[in-house]
Amino acid sequence: MDKIQQVQESALQAIQDANDLETLNQVRLQYLSKKGSIQALMSEMKTLPKEEKPEFGSKVNVCKQLVTEAIDAKQQELEEGALFANLENEKIDITLPATQVKLGTVHPLMIIQQEIEHLFIGMGYTIAEGPEVEEDYYNFELANIPKDHPARDMQDTFYIDPNTLLRTHTTAMQMRELEKAKGQAPIKLICPGKVYRRDDDDATHSHQFMQSEGLVVAENITLADLKGTLEHMANAMFGSGRTIRFRPSYFPFTEPSVEVDVSCPFCNGKGCNVCKGSGWIEILGAGMVHPHVLEMNGFDPEKYSGFAFGVGLERVAMLKYGIDDIRNFYINDQRFLKNFDRFD
Ligand code: DAH
């Protein structure tokens, strides 16, 4: 009986002293395994006189149960301790200042392009695309600018070979779309994209810039439709209250052709240094699609008419954001670009 008491006490002491799961496991093996001390006590029972066996047996069982419960309790305690220690170690101090993740920004020209796309999609237009490396045929011939036409000089062209060039205007895409339609109207689309000219770069010229073409062809399209559409665009882009005016101009692919001015958004048309005192700012070229262009593209000019316009995106962005040097759009200076960070 003393031995049982001894084993029990030493087991409970060992359990109490175990400070980690590994040691506790050793204790479990030492006392509770088949070769452990408690099993050894059980074996001793054989040597006892019959009348002592029941009491001895029940004492050993009580001892075994006590030790088992103590080990289980200690195991749970140690496991929880380990969990809390881990939680403590892995704790993230969310009050520490974080390193700032620098996100890219939408380029100002893309902001303008997206605004225009949104606006025209809202009026039922679709968006067309075309190649930047273009055939002379679409850039010039179909636009009513044959080889000897003086208008070719107005657009200093990057030629790749005599029939291939970098498109000088988005009007090339207008021609592709007209041809593709095979005489079927209505057509209602815009084509934004990059264009190229052999200009020397300075504050107002860039050898690469962006335009968006607009084109509508259907029955009974008039100059009044063009004017209403562009007035809507001017108000959407430069704020409500804008008016526009048409000045006669010349483009080979439109007849009549107009240069379009918007009332100066800076002085409301009173005259300031941005509009050079005139109250008006030129924003784009436009006109009624030339009957010969319709004809060359398979449309009956007696039945169909259309309007077209070409707007320079840099020009719109410069006016809208007060940018005075077009080169800013292309040198990728972070100090410039971050002004357009919508997440700031
Ligand atoms: N293609 C002309 C340019 O680059 C702009 C233009 C003028 C486009 C009149 C048009 C238009 O569609 O009708 O200067």
Side-chain angles (χ1 to χ4, degrees):
M1 291 294 174
D2 281 353
K3 211 161 180 190
I4 300 175
Q5 192 62 29
Q6 262 174 28
V7 169
Q8 182 172 315
E9 274 170 18
S10 80
L12 293 178
Q13 187 62 49
I15 294 166
Q16 198 179 31
D17 292 346
N19 282 327
D20 55 67
L21 289 164
E22 179 64 21
T23 315
L24 187 66
N25 213 24
Q26 292 302 328
V27 175
R28 189 194 291 275
L29 287 174
Q30 191 183 339
Y31 290 94
L32 293 177
S33 70
K34 280 197 184 118
K35 289 180 186 157
S37 318
I38 292 178
Q39 194 58 39
L41 288 173
M42 283 295 194
S43 314
E44 271 179 41
M45 201 160 67
K46 282 182 245 152
T47 64
L48 293 178
K50 202 172 175 194
E51 62 280 10
E52 288 180 22
K53 279 184 185 174
E55 201 196 342
F56 186 87
S58 91
K59 279 251 160 72
V60 174
N61 275 337
V62 169
C63 165
K64 186 176 178 182
Q65 196 176 345
L66 269 176
V67 172
T68 306
E69 280 169 6
I71 288 182
D72 288 349
K74 183 76 181 196
Q75 174 157 352
Q76 194 179 355
E77 184 191 316
L78 288 175
E79 278 171 356
E80 276 172 11
L83 178 66
F84 285 124
N86 276 345
L87 286 178
E88 195 57 36
N89 277 341
E90 291 167 12
K91 194 162 82 177
I92 295 168
D93 183 355
I94 56 166
T95 64
L96 279 176
T99 33
Q100 203 186 351
V101 178
K102 290 212 170 70
L103 293 174
T105 58
V106 178
H107 193 279
L109 293 175
M110 282 303 114
I111 297 176
I112 299 292
Q113 179 175 335
Q114 285 165 4
E115 267 182 40
I116 292 176
E117 288 178 352
H118 247 91
L119 179 67
F120 280 92
I121 285 171
M123 292 193 281
Y125 286 59
T126 54
I127 297 171
E129 291 181 341
E132 288 172 37
V133 178
E134 185 54 283
E135 293 171 39
D136 183 281
Y137 181 65
Y138 293 105
N139 198 81
F140 290 130
E141 297 283 332
L142 269 189
N144 208 19
I145 315 176
K147 286 255 163 7
D148 55 357
H149 199 289
R152 288 202 178 206
D153 298 341
M154 281 160 42
Q155 304 191 351
D156 269 327
T157 309
F158 286 113
Y159 275 96
I160 288 162
D161 64 40
N163 291 316
T164 319
L165 46 80
L166 297 183
R167 68 182 175 207
T168 60
H169 52 184
T170 46
T171 307
M173 285 192 269
Q174 182 192 148
M175 297 312 146
R176 280 182 176 270
E177 291 302 316
L178 277 172
E179 186 191 59
K180 223 191 278 175
K182 295 201 162 56
Q184 296 298 309
I187 299 175
K188 221 173 148 186
L189 48 84
I190 58 166
C191 341
K194 295 191 188 91
V195 299
Y196 302 85
R197 293 191 197 168
R198 269 180 39 202
D199 274 327
D200 289 330
D201 293 355
D202 61 25
T204 54
H205 294 87
S206 171
H207 64 281
Q208 175 197 314
F209 57 105
M210 293 197 73
Q211 291 186 330
S212 181
E213 197 80 359
L215 172 69
V216 173
V217 178
E219 288 180 43
N220 302 318
I221 296 294
T222 70
L223 203 65
D225 296 315
L226 174 64
K227 193 161 188 184
T229 304
L230 293 180
E231 196 162 68
H232 181 59
M233 178 167 100
N235 278 283
M237 305 295 294
F238 297 109
S240 58
R242 293 304 97 217
T243 51
I244 58 166
R245 72 174 182 187
F246 282 177
R247 279 179 294 109
S249 184
Y250 172 78
F251 298 103
F253 32 87
T254 42
E255 180 57 38
S257 301
V258 292
E259 214 100 54
V260 183
D261 298 340
V262 59
S263 60
C264 180
F266 299 97
C267 60
N268 232 345
K270 286 187 201 68
C272 66
N273 61 346
V274 180
C275 61
K276 303 202 178 74
S278 73
W280 294 98
I281 294 177
E282 185 192 322
I283 52 161
L284 55 87
M288 301 304 291
V289 181
H290 198 294
H292 188 223
V293 170
L294 288 174
E295 214 163 17
M296 279 192 288
N297 282 293
F299 284 87
D300 177 1
E302 296 298 326
K303 187 170 178 202
Y304 294 117
S305 54
F307 69 68
F309 61 87
V311 55
L313 302 195
E314 283 80 357
R315 177 131 184 92
V316 173
M318 286 168 87
L319 284 170
K320 226 180 134 145
Y321 301 128
I323 297 161
D324 58 8
D325 192 324
I326 194 171
R327 289 168 293 196
N328 279 318
F329 294 117
Y330 294 102
I331 55 179
N332 287 329
D333 185 332
Q334 292 290 321
R335 290 165 299 181
F336 171 75
L337 294 175
K338 78 171 164 46
N339 290 303
F340 303 93
D341 189 347
R342 294 185 293 186
F343 303 103
D344 244 0

